[in-house]
Amino acid sequence: ACEKGMQWVQALQLCSEMADCRVERNTITYSAAVSACEKGMQWVQALQLFREMADSRVERNMITDGAAMSACEKGGEWVPALQLFHEMAHSSVERN
C-alpha cells in the first residue's frame, strides 16, 4: 500500500517498527519498501534498505533489484546504479 501511494516515509517507519517488534522482514517486505522509496525518488533510502536486506541475509528478487536500480537512475546517481548492475550480473537472482 505504501508503494502505490508513494508513501516512502511510512514504508520506512513500518520497516523500523517491524524490527523493533522483532517481526521478521522478508523479501516481499523489503521489495515493497525499496519500491516505495524508488517511487518517492529517495535513492539513498532505497539503497540503505537494499544493503540492509543483504546484511540480514534476506533473498533478493527481480523486483528489489529493479527498484533499487531505478531509484538510482531517478536520482541521477549513475555510479551506484552501475555498481548495482554489476552486482546483479553476478548474483543468483533469476532474470526474465
Side-chain angles (χ1 to χ4, degrees), residues 6 10-11 22 26-27 31 36 46 50 57 59-60 63 65-66 70 72-73 77-78 80 89 93-94:
M6 294 194 315
Q10 288 84 351
R22 299 190 198 308
N26 59 22
T27 303
S31 293
F50 189 79
R57 291 184 162 73
E59 189 175 325
R60 297 171 12 202
I63 294 167
D65 287 1
S70 181
C72 292
E73 180 267 326
E77 297 296 324
W78 294 105
V93 175
E94 285 190 36

Side-chain angles (χ1 to χ4, degrees), residues 12-34:
L12 293 177
Q13 288 174 337
L14 183 58
C15 279
S16 178
E17 289 173 15
M18 288 177 76
D20 292 345
C21 294
R22 299 190 198 308
V23 175
E24 183 179 347
R25 293 168 291 174
N26 59 22
T27 303
I28 295 168
T29 307
Y30 276 107
S31 293
V34 171

Side-chain angles (χ1 to χ4, degrees), residues 40-74:
M41 300 181 133
Q42 301 300 314
W43 70 272
V44 172
Q45 288 80 3
L47 285 184
Q48 286 175 339
L49 285 169
F50 189 79
R51 298 294 179 217
E52 182 181 309
M53 192 176 181
D55 293 344
S56 300
R57 291 184 162 73
V58 175
E59 189 175 325
R60 297 171 12 202
N61 64 17
M62 288 181 6
I63 294 167
T64 314
D65 287 1
M69 176 87 74
S70 181
C72 292
E73 180 267 326
K74 287 180 179 178

